[in-house]
Amino acid sequence: SATGGREAGRMGHHVTQALLSCSRPDAWAIAERLLLSAGRQEGLRQAILETVDEAHPDAFRRMLRLIREEKLSRFSSVVRAADTWFGFLWDSASGSRIDAVIDRVLQFLHDASARAAALDEKDAETVYLALWSQAFEDVDRAVASATRLLSSPSPEVRYVATHLLVQTG
């Protein structure tokens, strides 16, 4: 279905969701190739990116690395998807802004000590990305961290902690 090799199969959300949510790296590679081959087909790119947040955790990490390595943040669908994944509610953002966020998220997903240290930062965005990354790994731990941050002297840090708590329900 993904490559158009079946008469009865059609490319759609269900195909990319199946490829990315399973635990098979070979399936993730197909989704990566589709994303890279989208070219000027913003709709295809958007359809793939809309399922990335439903992906297997390792597939999600791979897609973030692919976006960075291939400089895909130049496409509006990538900016829109990153905005949705991280819950920033941006009106617009530049590719370099998205790249910086993805770089920090990848660092925090890879390095638990960097993530823990970032929770004590003064910069609210850094704290939020550390909380988000912690929630990606263990939402209960992130809820505990965000709850602790509600007593921060910084209103911005209290805001991002509240935002994460709202996102987690």
Side-chain angles (χ1 to χ4, degrees), residues 3-74:
T3 61
R6 301 276 181 177
E7 255 183 66
R10 293 219 170 198
M11 181 60 182
H13 179 83
H14 65 289
V15 175
T16 54
Q17 185 175 28
L19 290 170
L20 290 169
S21 63
C22 72
S23 60
R24 294 180 49 182
D26 58 323
W28 309 338
I30 293 169
E32 289 171 335
R33 284 192 301 276
L34 283 170
L35 185 60
L36 292 176
S37 69
R40 294 181 182 260
Q41 299 176 53
E42 194 69 12
L44 174 59
R45 189 175 7 270
Q46 184 173 335
I48 296 165
L49 293 168
E50 285 176 353
T51 60
V52 170
D53 60 342
E54 300 167 347
H56 184 283
D58 290 335
F60 183 82
R61 287 180 182 93
R62 275 181 62 155
M63 293 303 273
L64 288 181
R65 282 191 297 274
L66 180 74
I67 288 167
R68 286 299 290 123
E69 290 166 3
E70 298 296 328
K71 299 175 177 51
L72 298 179
S73 61
R74 67 187 184 276

Side-chain angles (χ1 to χ4, degrees), residues 7-169:
E7 255 183 66
R10 293 219 170 198
M11 181 60 182
H13 179 83
H14 65 289
V15 175
T16 54
Q17 185 175 28
L19 290 170
L20 290 169
S21 63
C22 72
S23 60
R24 294 180 49 182
D26 58 323
W28 309 338
I30 293 169
E32 289 171 335
R33 284 192 301 276
L34 283 170
L35 185 60
L36 292 176
S37 69
R40 294 181 182 260
Q41 299 176 53
E42 194 69 12
L44 174 59
R45 189 175 7 270
Q46 184 173 335
I48 296 165
L49 293 168
E50 285 176 353
T51 60
V52 170
D53 60 342
E54 300 167 347
H56 184 283
D58 290 335
F60 183 82
R61 287 180 182 93
R62 275 181 62 155
M63 293 303 273
L64 288 181
R65 282 191 297 274
L66 180 74
I67 288 167
R68 286 299 290 123
E69 290 166 3
E70 298 296 328
K71 299 175 177 51
L72 298 179
S73 61
R74 67 187 184 276
F75 296 109
S76 62
S77 56
V78 174
V79 173
R80 181 179 171 274
D83 183 33
T84 301
W85 301 334
F86 304 122
F88 274 111
L89 307 173
W90 285 318
D91 287 340
S92 65
S94 68
S96 61
R97 180 91 173 103
I98 298 299
D99 291 342
V101 166
I102 290 174
D103 287 343
R104 284 189 287 168
V105 168
L106 283 168
Q107 177 192 14
F108 294 152
L109 289 174
H110 177 72
D111 185 350
S113 61
R115 182 173 59 229
L119 291 173
D120 295 325
E121 291 285 327
K122 289 184 167 103
D123 177 61
E125 183 177 273
T126 299
V127 172
Y128 173 73
L129 292 173
L131 283 170
W132 186 98
S133 300
Q134 190 175 50
F136 186 84
E137 296 289 330
D138 181 346
V139 72
D140 293 327
R141 181 187 268 158
V143 166
S145 295
T147 301
R148 178 181 57 80
L149 290 169
L150 292 175
S151 62
S152 169
S154 165
E156 293 86 2
V157 169
R158 290 193 308 268
Y159 175 82
V160 297
T162 301
H163 182 64
L164 183 100
L165 290 169
V166 168
Q167 287 180 306
T168 62

